[in-house]
Amino acid sequence: MKIETIAVHAGRHADPASGAVELPIHLSTTFKRNADGSLPADFVYSRNGNPTRRALEDCLTALEGGADASAFASGSAAVTALLHALEPEAHVVLSEGYYGTGKILSDIFARWKLKWTMVDGSNTPAIAAAIKKNTRLIFLESPSNPMIRVCDISAVCELARKAGAKVAVDNTVCTPVLQRPFELGADLVMYSTTKFMAGHSDVVGGALVTAKKDDYWQKVQTVQQTGGGVPGPFDCWLALRGLKTLPYRVRAHSDNAMKVATFLAGHRAVEKVNYPGLEKHPQHAIAARQMKMFGGLMSFHIAAGRAAALAVTSKTRIFTRATSLGGTESLIEHRESVEAPGTGTPENLIRLSIGLENSDDLIEDLSQALG
Ligand SMILES: *Cc1c(COP(=O)(O)O)cnc(C)c1O
């Protein structure tokens, strides 16, 4: 089946008890056993599994073409479970990206003695050089948030295979509609479903999808089910509802973003635009090979510096000043001022999440804000 059909149908079935076409939200915490102690379905207690969460996980597995999926309470909980499933003496190579992922390592796993090396993910030789004997996981984010650097995912997977390490890809910015990490050789795919996957800025969620049900996956599941970082049924249902329209939304986000990026690239107040769809982007060729379209996230640098960048964010009328990305509404953010000090994000950088408004209106809004 094609992805549009999977997005609408996978994981869902009409409710056998009522015939309801739409999936019910199963709020039940616990599940009745048969007289002989057996269970009518596979559910015992909702921390371990719940029918609404299972429907979301089945849908995610099918969308990704994987073997299994776990839905988490947030993208950060998904990353935490992935790291928690490693042995403490393991080493992780991490591509520079979402600053929260680096924070999970430095604020939580450093105390736990996990070792890591952070590298520019667009620099494959730097990734090769960072791999050590005890490297167990290479965690890539492509394109990265907010610098929009692109990793050569299949080249890194090749390196990882030789080193006996697993590759996990944070595919939040692309979704399975635009980028298929398993087809490029990755072992795991991670999502903040908060973003494009759920897509309506009304739910915080995360997910991991695995290509194989192996030992490592078993450990990830133990961390989740025993550790308890699970999403509630209503959040799972919201994510499932959002997923129905995912292919259409993501293509429309990408169409709009390409137009906005092209406009910004030609504006005199803009020093540089980071968008992989632009031919000038340093990894445009890799992006064109491994992505179907170029997504709804971009950033750009204001030539006149920090104050001028902040002034632009204060003047937009359609773009909302807020963090996050992937919702139907366009968002604008001066990224450096919301990240912790010393993250290295340039102070003249503005991040945009391009929504589903008409691109003419978005361009007009940016045009008046840039002056
Ligand atoms: C938002 C985000 C995360 C973190 O997800 P939460 O759902 O906010 O915990 C991780 N990676 C990327 C690329 C993100 O944009």
Side-chain angles (χ1 to χ4, degrees):
M1 274 194 286
K2 301 280 197 287
I3 198 157
E4 294 81 1
T5 314
I6 296 170
V8 170
H9 289 287
R12 292 92 163 186
H13 45 77
D15 176 37
S18 65
V21 169
E22 185 45 57
L23 188 83
I25 304 174
H26 288 275
L27 294 173
S28 187
T29 54
T30 192
F31 299 87
K32 186 181 176 182
R33 287 181 188 269
N34 298 319
D36 64 0
S38 65
L39 289 156
D42 213 12
F43 303 105
V44 180
Y45 179 65
S46 276
R47 169 157 46 72
N48 301 82
N50 164 287
T52 315
R53 186 164 108 223
R54 195 64 238 174
L56 171 59
E57 292 168 339
D58 288 347
C59 185
L60 292 165
T61 302
L63 281 170
E64 207 64 51
D68 201 10
S70 277
F72 286 83
S74 66
S76 304
V79 173
T80 300
L82 204 58
L83 297 170
H84 226 153
L86 296 168
E87 303 305 316
E89 61 274 13
H91 174 257
V92 177
V93 177
L94 179 76
S95 72
E96 282 163 9
Y98 176 63
Y99 94 110
T101 303
K103 227 169 125 54
I104 289 170
L105 279 160
S106 62
D107 294 7
I108 300 173
F109 286 96
R111 274 192 288 117
W112 203 62
K113 306 279 186 269
L114 197 74
K115 298 284 185 290
W116 71 93
T117 310
M118 203 187 273
V119 291
D120 170 354
S122 66
N123 187 344
T124 306
I127 293 178
I131 296 173
K132 298 177 196 286
K133 262 210 221 53
N134 60 336
T135 301
R136 294 287 169 269
L137 179 69
I138 302 179
F139 187 92
L140 301 178
E141 185 182 314
S142 183
S144 68
N145 170 7
M147 297 307 291
I148 323 290
R149 294 194 184 111
V150 173
C151 308
D152 186 338
I153 297 173
S154 45
V156 174
C157 289
E158 196 58 47
L159 292 171
R161 222 178 344 266
K162 284 185 197 136
K166 297 214 177 277
V167 176
V169 177
D170 182 338
N171 206 29
T172 298
V173 171
C174 285
T175 82
V177 179
L178 301 185
Q179 183 165 274
R180 317 275 310 162
F182 291 151
E183 291 168 17
L184 301 168
D187 302 285
L188 296 128
V189 179
M190 174 259 151
Y191 288 105
S192 167
T193 54
T194 314
K195 314 293 171 54
F196 292 100
M197 295 291 266
H200 293 75
S201 304
D202 53 11
V203 56
V204 171
L208 292 173
V209 191
T210 187
K212 270 205 304 262
K213 291 197 202 183
D214 56 9
D215 260 17
Y216 183 49
W217 183 247
Q218 195 54 54
K219 286 185 184 127
V220 168
Q221 298 238 293
T222 301
V223 171
Q224 180 185 44
Q225 294 174 23
T226 307
V230 299
F234 186 55
D235 284 352
C236 291
W237 185 87
L238 282 172
L240 263 168
R241 182 187 165 111
L243 285 175
K244 289 187 185 193
T245 54
L246 179 75
Y248 296 91
R249 286 188 288 104
V250 169
R251 289 196 286 260
H253 284 288
S254 299
D255 272 334
N256 273 356
M258 192 67 216
K259 289 179 189 149
V260 170
T262 305
F263 159 77
L264 288 172
H267 198 284
R268 66 196 141 67
V270 176
E271 180 183 291
K272 188 168 94 152
V273 182
N274 305 312
Y275 188 65
L278 298 175
E279 273 170 31
K280 269 196 175 163
H281 187 283
Q283 295 95 42
H284 173 70
I286 297 168
R289 200 169 68 224
Q290 73 187 15
M291 297 169 73
K292 293 201 174 71
M293 291 173 86
F294 301 102
L297 185 70
M298 72 180 71
S299 58
F300 64 104
H301 304 249
I302 294 290
R306 186 178 200 273
L310 278 163
V312 171
T313 65
S314 74
K315 286 184 199 145
T316 54
R317 296 174 194 139
I318 296 174
F319 280 85
T320 303
R321 275 178 308 283
T323 197
S324 199
L325 54 118
T328 56
E329 63 290 301
S330 292
L331 302 179
I332 187 166
E333 182 174 55
H334 180 252
R335 193 68 195 156
E336 185 243 9
S337 53
V338 302
E339 290 182 359
T343 57
T345 296
E347 59 176 22
N348 66 342
L349 181 120
I350 294 175
R351 188 181 80 179
L352 298 179
S353 173
I354 304 299
L356 300 178
E357 302 93 338
N358 189 290
S359 58
D360 293 345
D361 295 331
L362 296 177
I363 288 169
E364 201 178 300
D365 191 30
L366 289 170
S367 177
Q368 64 79 24
L370 286 162

